[in-house]
Amino acid sequence: MTTIIKLLIAALVLNAAAQAGLAYFKLYQFQDAMHEVLLFAPNASDAELTDRVMDLAAEHGVPLDRGSIAFRTERFERAVEAPYVEDVILVPGIYTKAWEFAPTTSVRVIPSGNQGR
């Protein structure tokens, strides 16, 4: 009997680890895709980037709200933050955890114009 209980506990722990791992894997894939968007279109408008990030969120199954996307532009850096909350089922039918994820990425940009001439 104790062996069955130990196996059941081990299966629950492995399942919880797998579910958490999958949630983080999705986060990293989404963050990498956002980085590619910024890398190949650093001078795009905020509206264009917002549309593209929302498309990426739909592709990756990320429950992202359009209003939570924030852009930051500093002298030589363009960054995007897209925080979201996802429910991760750790113990099926018993325990679901709402996890907050905050994918953030940035790229260096070259200022446009003839500033050095």
Side-chain angles (χ1 to χ4, degrees):
M1 185 67 172
T2 59
T3 304
I4 293 173
I5 293 172
K6 288 179 185 178
L7 287 174
L8 180 62
I9 291 171
L12 289 174
V13 169
L14 286 174
N15 179 63
Q19 295 300 323
L22 288 173
Y24 275 98
F25 184 67
K26 185 188 331 183
L27 164 72
Y28 294 132
Q29 282 185 323
F30 178 59
Q31 188 168 332
D32 187 50
M34 284 191 334
H35 183 77
E36 286 182 11
V37 165
L38 276 182
L39 186 64
F40 294 113
N43 296 320
S45 70
D46 288 355
E48 292 170 337
L49 288 175
T50 299
D51 290 341
R52 185 63 185 128
V53 169
M54 289 303 295
D55 291 342
L56 290 173
E59 289 174 18
H60 289 91
V62 172
L64 183 62
D65 180 32
R66 180 177 288 276
S68 68
I69 300 171
F71 297 97
R72 179 175 39 90
T73 304
E74 294 178 4
R75 185 170 177 165
F76 296 109
E77 181 182 36
R78 179 83 188 253
V80 62
E81 298 173 356
Y84 65 93
V85 176
E86 183 173 359
D87 292 332
V88 179
I89 302 170
L90 298 176
V91 180
I94 298 174
Y95 184 66
T96 300
K97 170 90 170 135
W99 250 324
E100 294 181 20
F101 295 100
T104 303
T105 189
S106 65
V107 295
R108 292 186 182 251
V109 294
I110 299 173
S112 60
N114 296 330
Q115 296 174 350
R117 296 179 185 206

